[in-house]
Amino acid sequence: MARGLLGRNHPLHIRQNRSAALKKADVVLLAGIVCDFRLSYGRVLSRSSKIIIVNRNRKEMLINSDIFWKPQEAIQGDVGSFVLKLVEGLQGQTWASDWAEELRQADREKDQSFREKAMMPVAQHLNPVRVLQLVEETLPDNSILVVDGGDFVGTAAHLVQPRGPLCWLDPGAFGTLGVGAGFALGAKLCRPDAEVWCLFGDGAFGYSLIEFDTFVRHKIPVMALIGNDAGWTQISREQVPCLGSNVACGLAYSDYHKAAIGLGAQGLLLSRDNEDQVVKVLCDAQQQCRDGHPVVVNILIGRTDFRDGSIAV
């Protein structure tokens, strides 16, 4: 969950199949994370595992304990200081290599499933999995990722890797959509030499579009990639099975790139018409940003369902 902490390709950074790994682990260290809904209130933890939790806040540290999980050790204190002391104390210890290899193999299998999904045809527009694979291949090492959205960002979380610590900014545990433009503004002002790449869902981008006027007036070059599937798709996935209706979830394939041009920014379109030029368009947008211009790339995509492996439009 600490995206980017170990860089892009560290052999001990296992990105996929977290729940399965937690079920099999004999020891789990919860370093700063609490057992809220992100860990199913502790239900993803095995009762046979020894759980060590470290947190500055004792109340948060023990939330839902003795209901769905129980800590073997609960340490109230700074997580970073604890981990440094732990490293000192574990000098000379050796570890079974087969466990790490088992996790890496599961990672490879998951990656292969995404490669297969990237090759699946869609009825119209672009396959979002393939688009995000190309974003991952194009993303520079000095980038900061700002992600703001639901379905498109959820897909990106599997496929696009931040290049270092503190280089992934998202709406957080409570899903506060609309933070994207503000985060991008702050990131670029704090680290002007970094390239700020924003990944927006089309629903979430509705909150941030007008801030491209701010970026233009203050000469703040950031780059926004909009996964435009004409809907609040993450909501729709739950709503339609439960209520039998897609009411209030449908949007249009709006010309967000033209709206950006109207605000003085650069605007580009990616669609079925230029699907063989995804990398070229990304590189063009990147160059325009380096030349000092805020850029919006409107990417028309189909809808991906990771739960059953299908892609539907």
Side-chain angles (χ1 to χ4, degrees), residues 39-202:
L39 292 179
S40 296
Y41 309 100
R43 283 177 289 195
V44 299
L45 302 172
S46 171
R47 291 190 178 274
S48 63
S49 301
K50 294 180 179 179
I51 312 298
I52 303 166
I53 187 166
V54 189
N55 201 295
R56 288 182 174 184
N57 186 307
R58 181 170 180 80
K59 182 179 178 180
E60 288 192 4
M61 177 170 62
L62 298 177
I63 191 170
N64 297 313
S65 64
D66 299 323
I67 301 175
F68 299 118
W69 70 289
K70 186 177 180 66
Q72 176 89 3
E73 298 288 348
I75 299 107
Q76 184 176 2
D78 177 71
V79 173
S81 300
F82 172 84
V83 170
L84 291 173
K85 288 290 185 182
L86 184 65
V87 170
E88 292 178 12
L90 293 177
Q91 293 295 328
Q93 293 285 342
T94 58
W95 312 94
S97 60
D98 57 340
W99 171 234
E101 179 54 32
E102 180 181 338
L103 295 175
R104 281 192 286 268
Q105 179 58 31
D107 237 24
R108 289 191 287 267
E109 291 172 1
K110 190 77 170 183
D111 287 340
Q112 177 59 30
S113 74
F114 283 124
R115 282 191 288 272
E116 293 170 1
K117 287 173 182 171
M119 302 307 295
M120 294 173 67
V122 292
Q124 58 178 336
H125 306 307
L126 302 178
N127 182 319
V129 180
R130 182 57 184 151
V131 169
L132 287 165
Q133 285 179 335
L134 295 173
V135 170
E136 164 63 18
E137 293 173 12
T138 310
L139 192 71
D141 289 339
N142 68 332
S143 60
I144 297 175
L145 283 163
V146 175
V147 300
D148 188 7
D151 215 63
F152 187 63
V153 166
T155 308
H158 288 282
L159 299 170
V160 182
Q161 300 179 53
R163 295 336 195 208
L166 306 179
C167 291
W168 174 282
L169 304 175
D170 65 29
F174 295 107
T176 49
L177 292 189
V179 300
F183 279 6
L185 178 68
K188 189 62 179 176
L189 292 177
C190 288
R191 291 182 53 188
D193 294 333
E195 292 190 20
V196 177
W197 288 45
C198 307
L199 305 180
F200 285 102
D202 52 333

Side-chain angles (χ1 to χ4, degrees), residues 8-43:
R8 183 184 182 187
N9 293 311
H10 195 286
L12 293 180
H13 184 190
I14 310 300
R15 299 183 298 114
Q16 316 285 4
N17 300 304
R18 182 179 71 207
S19 295
L22 287 172
K23 285 294 185 186
K24 294 188 68 174
D26 53 358
V27 177
V28 176
L29 172 60
L30 301 176
I33 186 65
V34 298
C35 285
D36 58 13
F37 68 92
R38 290 168 291 177
L39 292 179
S40 296
Y41 309 100
R43 283 177 289 195

